[in-house]
Amino acid sequence: MIKFHFCLVVFFAIYILNAQSKKYIIHTVAFYNFENLFDTINNANTNNDEWTPTGAQHWTKEKYEQKLKNLSRVISEIGTPENSVSPTLLGCSEVENRGVLEDLVRQEKIADLDYGIIHFDSPDQRGIDVALLYKKKYFRPTSFSNIPLLIYKNNSVLQVDKNEDLGDVEMKTNKDRVFTRDQLLVTGFLEDEEIHIIINHWPSRSGGEKASSKFREAAGALNRKIIDSLQQINPNAKVITMGDLNDGPFNKSIKTVLGAKGKKAEVPEFGMFNPFEEMLNKGMGTIAFRDSWDIFDQIIMTESLIKSDFSTFKFWKAGIFNRSYLVQTYGKYKGYPLRNTLTEAGFSDHFPVYIYLIKENQK
């Protein structure tokens, strides 16, 4: 019996030692709604007049430059302290054009990180787009495309056959179309592993949550269609969809249409896992309205990323980056995210979100 106990102690000592000696490669994947990252130049083709020096927001060069500094500070810190470096992949929304992103990645705090940019101009009437920033050292894009969401004022959704010419369809239907952000699909290699990223900014709740819900359900259906097509090509495809979804984890667009589950054990094969559902249950949030918090900013992934084998990149944990300097400390909106005002450039009315992908370092 003494020998048995001794062997048992030795076994567990060796097991713990081996577990502690394992080393992991870690990458942060994040999303941040930049809230109206406009330059100061009036664009005649979009409704951006208020974001000019003479517009309603009095958007001056000084404010713009401060906004860039603010955002670069956040980007440099997202994911710390578990990961000591900034995000490898950063989805972003509410950017006016590629130029503002080029100005952003040149900011002192992140200039040496050598971020690449993937961006398309979207048909959004305010001219705001989604984009992906990526560290060239670790991520190599192989393909990218912007996929339009076709929705209309009468709440109809147009389903376009893959062989149909979209230009011809749009010419027939543009009169009643609600022009919103495209969904950006990027495929590439994170180190030596293929991964697919979808960046979203789903239709707003303009006109009321209930009246506009069908538009976001259509966005969720388009997301699901993109993911299904990737899984048909490769059943083990690793897909991450992220963005400002303008719905919370329990809304129909996410819970039913996209089919996202909040518990790993409930995720079926080819299903989707949403780690932000549990956070909402705990009262956490990324955006506040009338003193009520919700999580519109989410990062959701395929079942292939939550398996327990860490020989390849898998999901580890998720978080909301809500450092104290991002929070309003006084006035009517005390406790809310520190957004732009008429007198100064803030950060954003959204907190950024992030996940960690890790794998065992075999070297």
Side-chain angles (χ1 to χ4, degrees), residues 31-35 93-94 201 204-205 243-249 251 276 279-280 283-298 320-322 326-327 333 335-339 348-353:
F31 174 81
Y32 196 9
N33 180 324
F34 289 156
E35 193 206 6
S93 67
E94 293 204 20
H201 187 184
S204 74
R205 294 187 170 189
D244 174 2
L245 308 184
N246 273 306
D247 266 341
N251 285 112
F276 293 90
M279 294 185 201
L280 185 59
M284 302 173 70
T286 63
I287 187 169
F289 180 68
R290 294 179 179 172
D291 294 332
S292 178
W293 285 90
D294 208 332
I295 299 181
F296 285 1
D297 309 86
Q298 296 159 72
I320 297 172
F321 190 77
N322 53 4
L326 292 173
V327 180
Y333 298 108
Y336 285 33
L338 182 56
R339 62 184 305 170
S348 172
D349 57 347
H350 294 245
F351 292 137
V353 293

Side-chain angles (χ1 to χ4, degrees), residues 11 18 39 60 65 78 81 121 142 158 199 219 270 279 317 331 337:
F11 169 79
N18 286 336
D39 59 28
T60 62
E65 291 177 347
I78 294 176
D121 287 316
T142 55
L158 182 62
I199 313 296
F270 308 122
M279 294 185 201
K317 61 191 295 188

Side-chain angles (χ1 to χ4, degrees), residues 156-175:
S156 65
V157 178
L158 182 62
Q159 299 292 335
V160 182
D161 184 87
K162 65 180 180 180
N163 296 317
E164 194 167 4
D165 185 84
L166 184 59
D168 292 340
V169 172
E170 286 184 328
M171 286 181 64
K172 298 174 186 176
T173 59
N174 273 356
K175 181 179 178 181

Side-chain angles (χ1 to χ4, degrees), residues 10 42 57 99 106 147 162 186 198 213 254 275 281 304 309 327:
V10 170
N42 190 14
Q57 299 294 331
R106 285 195 293 263
I147 303 167
K162 65 180 180 180
V186 179
I198 308 170
S213 63
I254 298 166
N281 277 333
S304 53
D309 174 16
V327 180

